[in-house]
Structure formats: C-alpha cells, structure tokens
Amino acid sequence: MAKDGSEMGINTRLAHSGNNPHDYFGFVNPPVVHASTVLYPNAAAMASRSQKYTYGTRGTPTTDALNSAIDALEGSAGTVAVPSGLAAVTLPLLAFLSAGDHLLIVDSVYHPTRNFADTMLKRLGIEVEYYEPRIGAGIAALIKPNTRVVFTESPASNTFEVQDIPAIATAAHAAGAIVMMDNTWATPLYFRPLDHGVDISIHAATKYPAGHSDVLLGTVSANAACWNQLCETFNTMGCCAGPDDVYQVLRGLRTMGVRLERHQKSALALAGWLEGQPGVAQVLHPGLPSHPDHALWKRDFCGSSGIFSIVLAGGGQKQQHAFLDALKFFGLGYSWGGYESLAVPVFLGDRTVAKGPYDGPLVRLQIGLEDVEDLKADLARGLAAAAEA
C-alpha cells in the first residue's frame, strides 16, 4: 500500500494513513504516548540528540501518526499539531512575520484571526490591511515591497464568498510573499490548498476531523519551502497538542469521509429548500447554482461541507433572536463540524470592506447528522417565529 496515498481512494486513505499496525504488534490504532522526558542510552547520544524522539514537545509516535495522516491528505512536506484552531492560525503568522512587515488578510476572515492581527500583531509592529474577498488577481495592487504574507480563507467565514486562490497565490508569489489559507470549511477532502498555490494550510481540527464537539486541536501543514521555518517556530514556542486530543482527532479522521458526505448532502438539501421559503431573502451557500461564486467554487472544489448562512427577509436583531429561540434541534453554540446541528447569529460590524449589503439579519447554520425532515421542521418553526416577532 502506498504510504503517500497515491494508490488509494479518499476513504481508504482516511482509514489507513498515518499508522502501520505492524509497527505496534498488530494493533490497528497507534499507542497514546504520554511523554515529557525521553531517556537517552548514553551521554554521547544525549549530546548529539541522535535519536528520533528527544522530548515530549517535539513529537511522539502519537503525534507522528496524526501528522503523517494529515500530510497524506494535504500533500504537504510536514504538519504540526497545536492545541486549537486559533493556535493553528497564530503559529504560522508568528513564524513568517516580523516588525515592519505588511500583512494582507481577507476582510471576511474568522473573527478571532482578526482580533489576533489587530491586537498582538499590530503591537509587534506589523502593518495589517484587509482586502475584499472577491479581489482575485487584483490583490497585486495592494501588495507592497514589505508585504510578507497574504492570508486567505475560502469560503469566507459567515458570508461564504469564494476566493480565487490560484490568482491570489500567483500575485503574491510574484512579489515574494507567501500565502496562508484557513481551509477548515472544505477540509483537504474537498480542497487541497497546496495544489492551488498555497504555502501554508491551516485547519481547526476541532471541526470535521474530530467530528464530535469534544476536542480542541489545530493542524498547520507546509510545503517544502516553508516547512523548516514553520517547524522551528513550533519547536521554539512549545505549543504542542496533548496526546489524548491528538488520538481523538486521528480516530475521527477514520470516519470523516462518510460524515462529510452526510453533512454535504443534508446541507445542500436544506439550503435548496430554504431558498424557496417565505422569510428567507438569501441563502449563502457556494454549492448552490444561485450563489454568485458558484462557478469558481465548482472549478476549484470537489465538495461542500455542512455550514452555510441564511439572510432573513427584513427585520433586525429582534427577528434574528426570535428565529434562534424557536429552534429545538439546532443548538445555540459556537464551533461546528460535530454530529449535531447548530445555529448562531452573524455579526458583521467588525468588517471594513465586506459588509454586504444584506436585506436582513444573518444566521449561520451548521447542519449535523440528524434527519433532514426533522431539521426542516425546526427551521420552519424558526422562520414562523421571526415572521411574528
């Protein structure tokens, strides 16, 4: 069996990547290694660090199993696992930015990423600028001599614009900048960033890889040109993920393919149904033919996940809250990618250039693994409550 996954279908790859059972007496899952101290056989070995494992923060058989599985999915030169999705965002930014550098970030980015950029990065002397998500090759006009990183996220958080990643990467590389992408929405099953010119691929493995709303973890994968610098920063910062969380994400990977198929099918069914419902002004799902970026999504992506937003037809926070409070199966909670459906109000007040306009308040929906008819009935309750508010 090819370890790089080149001879495997995606579900076979998910089932078998990252671990050879015969390395561990035939057990199909790798051991969960709890480690800080690693012993050396002698002083010479200790002085030269001439063994694979040297200290718990620098890797164990458990983290190696997950990282190699992610590399097989991403086509990356190396991956590190960190304690959260936000840590997966902050680590590469700190690895590749210095005081005086210019950072371009898509304006529709995940809010905690924006908060990190606007607080810590600015305090460290980094110039932060936000760009319109549909800018494409036009980003060349924003690149400065000191632009070091272009940070992308596609589809966009909450509003689901699709970025032209190859065009952005081409412009960035022509100016000597590197490209990072938060690819949590699609996972490497439905979009492989490094194949489209991205240098650093970021995932909140809390979401679909873990899949059960009980683990926090992030992964950062790099191409060969960026791997050493990323790895050195990871080792310098010591921000390693715990072994039990790593194991849970590796376990979740085994079923991620079949879960994503269900999320995708149910989300598309509900998104299409919602387009025809009174009280819904717009459905923001790039997998729908009505989405303005559908052709671009279809060109670059090979699937869609279970999260999208709807725009209510008029009203404001009162109608938005009435919709949310009427739901029974959709929980009101942050994160997504688990087995259960969730709904949250969308706030766009922090944006500078990607504010809309929209005809009413937005609600983001995570479609879980429940039966579609039950979720339809729940959403109908929400729409009726919004109309009466």
Side-chain angles (χ1 to χ4, degrees):
M1 181 182 297
K3 280 295 181 184
D4 64 0
S6 59
E7 298 175 7
M8 305 183 214
I10 190 61
N11 286 298
T12 305
R13 195 179 316 167
L14 287 167
H16 293 282
S17 293
N19 179 47
N20 181 357
H22 298 292
D23 290 342
Y24 305 106
F25 309 100
F27 293 108
V28 297
N29 290 307
V32 182
V33 177
H34 294 82
S36 54
T37 298
V38 179
L39 298 180
Y40 297 82
N42 51 56
M46 192 174 202
S48 64
R49 297 200 168 203
S50 57
Q51 62 187 41
K52 183 173 183 180
Y53 299 111
T54 59
Y55 192 70
T57 60
R58 290 174 173 256
T60 70
T62 312
T63 55
D64 281 353
L66 176 62
N67 292 342
S68 62
I70 298 296
D71 284 334
L73 297 174
E74 293 273 15
S76 45
T79 292
V80 295
V82 293
S84 69
L86 181 56
V89 168
T90 61
L91 175 71
L93 288 172
L94 291 172
F96 290 91
L97 289 167
S98 301
D101 287 344
H102 177 237
L103 165 66
L104 284 167
I105 305 182
V106 63
D107 193 42
S108 51
V109 75
Y110 173 56
H111 175 74
T113 302
R114 178 189 295 271
N115 183 60
F116 175 75
D118 287 346
T119 55
M120 292 191 69
L121 291 185
K122 287 185 178 179
R123 180 169 59 81
L124 294 174
I126 293 158
E127 180 186 359
V128 178
E129 181 178 355
Y130 295 94
Y131 65 89
E132 205 281 328
R134 294 188 172 106
I135 196 169
I139 201 167
L142 301 181
I143 294 176
K144 303 178 179 182
N146 62 332
T147 302
R148 179 77 173 108
V149 172
V150 177
F151 193 97
T152 69
E153 182 179 337
S154 183
S157 268
N158 296 324
T159 49
F160 300 94
E161 297 93 338
V162 179
Q163 292 193 255
D164 191 338
I165 297 298
I168 290 171
T170 297
H173 291 158
I178 69 168
V179 180
M180 301 178 185
M181 180 176 178
D182 185 334
N183 189 42
T184 302
W185 183 87
T187 82
L189 272 63
Y190 293 156
F191 184 86
R192 295 206 341 157
L194 272 61
D195 291 350
H196 293 80
V198 172
D199 301 291
I200 304 282
S201 178
I202 296 162
H203 290 280
T206 302
K207 277 50 173 191
Y208 292 116
H212 292 79
S213 302
D214 56 0
V215 176
L216 290 168
L217 198 109
T219 63
V220 191
S221 303
N223 59 18
C226 294
W227 168 240
N228 285 340
Q229 189 165 338
L230 176 70
C231 187
E232 287 173 7
T233 304
F234 171 75
N235 289 330
T236 299
M237 294 183 67
C239 55
C240 59
D244 295 299
D245 294 337
V246 169
Y247 176 81
Q248 287 286 78
V249 172
L250 183 63
R251 187 184 188 199
L253 278 185
R254 307 311 186 193
T255 61
M256 185 171 71
V258 292
R259 287 187 285 107
L260 268 174
E261 287 179 8
R262 172 76 177 195
H263 287 297
Q264 173 177 225
K265 182 179 179 182
S266 296
L268 283 170
L270 288 165
W273 173 78
L274 281 163
E275 280 196 308
Q277 297 305 301
V280 177
Q282 190 177 1
V283 179
L284 307 177
H285 189 316
L288 293 178
S290 59
H291 191 280
D293 304 325
H294 178 70
L296 184 59
W297 170 82
K298 196 171 182 179
R299 184 195 75 182
D300 292 345
F301 290 74
C302 60
S304 60
S305 63
I307 184 169
F308 63 93
S309 291
I310 61 172
V311 182
L312 298 180
Q317 187 181 76
K318 181 180 179 181
Q319 287 71 25
Q320 184 188 57
H321 284 191
F323 175 92
L324 293 168
D325 289 342
L327 301 173
K328 295 182 179 179
F329 295 124
F330 283 82
L332 306 187
Y334 292 101
S335 196
W336 39 273
Y339 57 87
E340 81 287 24
S341 293
L342 299 170
V344 296
V346 171
F347 173 73
L348 302 178
D350 59 346
R351 296 190 179 185
T352 58
V353 293
K355 291 178 176 291
Y358 296 101
D359 293 336
L362 277 69
V363 174
R364 192 187 73 190
L365 301 173
Q366 131 82 5
I367 308 304
L369 303 180
E370 303 95 338
D371 292 310
V372 167
E373 291 306 313
D374 293 329
L375 298 180
K376 277 185 182 179
D378 210 22
L379 293 169
R381 275 189 291 270
L383 291 172
E388 294 172 5

